[in-house]
Amino acid sequence: QVQLVESGGGLVQPGGSLRLSCAASGFTFSLYAINWYRQAPGKERELVATITRASGTLNYADSVKGRFTISRDNAKNTAYLQMNSLKPEDTAVYYCNAALGPIHTYWGQGTQVTVSS
């Protein structure tokens, strides 16, 4: 059974940090690119960061460049999103996505991140 389970979300003050984790099972994690998306209330889902299967290429949305870092540990079947200098506009549900082409794609259930004082 394929599973992606996000964790690490929560409430944090502006300027704070959180580290999200995405634990994968049921498929060959190392073959898949990993994407982190987010969706704020009333807004469309936004691609935040991408890491290729061998961590050779990292891409970030302009809104998070310099503040967020995506990484992965293929030995642990886990991906991470380190989020620093958080802003209220980063408030959203964050989703992990594993993708191997347009057909083989899996989603986690999401984890809520709220940035507020």
Side-chain angles (χ1 to χ4, degrees):
Q1 181 182 1
V2 171
Q3 277 195 311
L4 285 175
V5 180
E6 300 99 333
S7 61
L11 174 64
V12 63
Q13 292 187 341
S17 297
L18 284 174
R19 188 194 196 200
L20 306 183
S21 297
C22 172
S25 61
F27 63 101
T28 307
F29 178 79
S30 61
L31 295 181
Y32 285 68
I34 299 298
N35 305 293
W36 283 97
Y37 287 80
R38 68 185 180 186
Q39 188 165 22
K43 294 188 176 181
E44 293 188 355
R45 191 169 292 190
E46 172 191 20
L47 178 60
V48 174
T50 296
I51 185 167
T52 55
R53 59 186 187 179
S55 304
T57 302
L58 311 178
N59 287 306
Y60 298 94
D62 287 344
S63 57
V64 306
K65 277 181 183 176
R67 301 188 297 121
F68 289 12
T69 303
I70 189 171
S71 62
R72 66 190 296 162
D73 185 338
N74 287 341
K76 295 183 178 179
N77 289 347
T78 302
Y80 306 95
L81 186 67
Q82 177 67 43
M83 306 186 295
N84 299 328
S85 303
L86 283 161
K87 305 175 181 180
E89 51 263 44
D90 295 317
T91 295
V93 178
Y94 284 71
Y95 297 91
C96 177
N97 166 260
L100 178 61
I103 297 177
H104 299 286
T105 183
Y106 307 120
W107 291 90
Q109 82 290 349
T111 185
Q112 176 71 46
V113 171
T114 302
V115 185
S116 175
S117 55

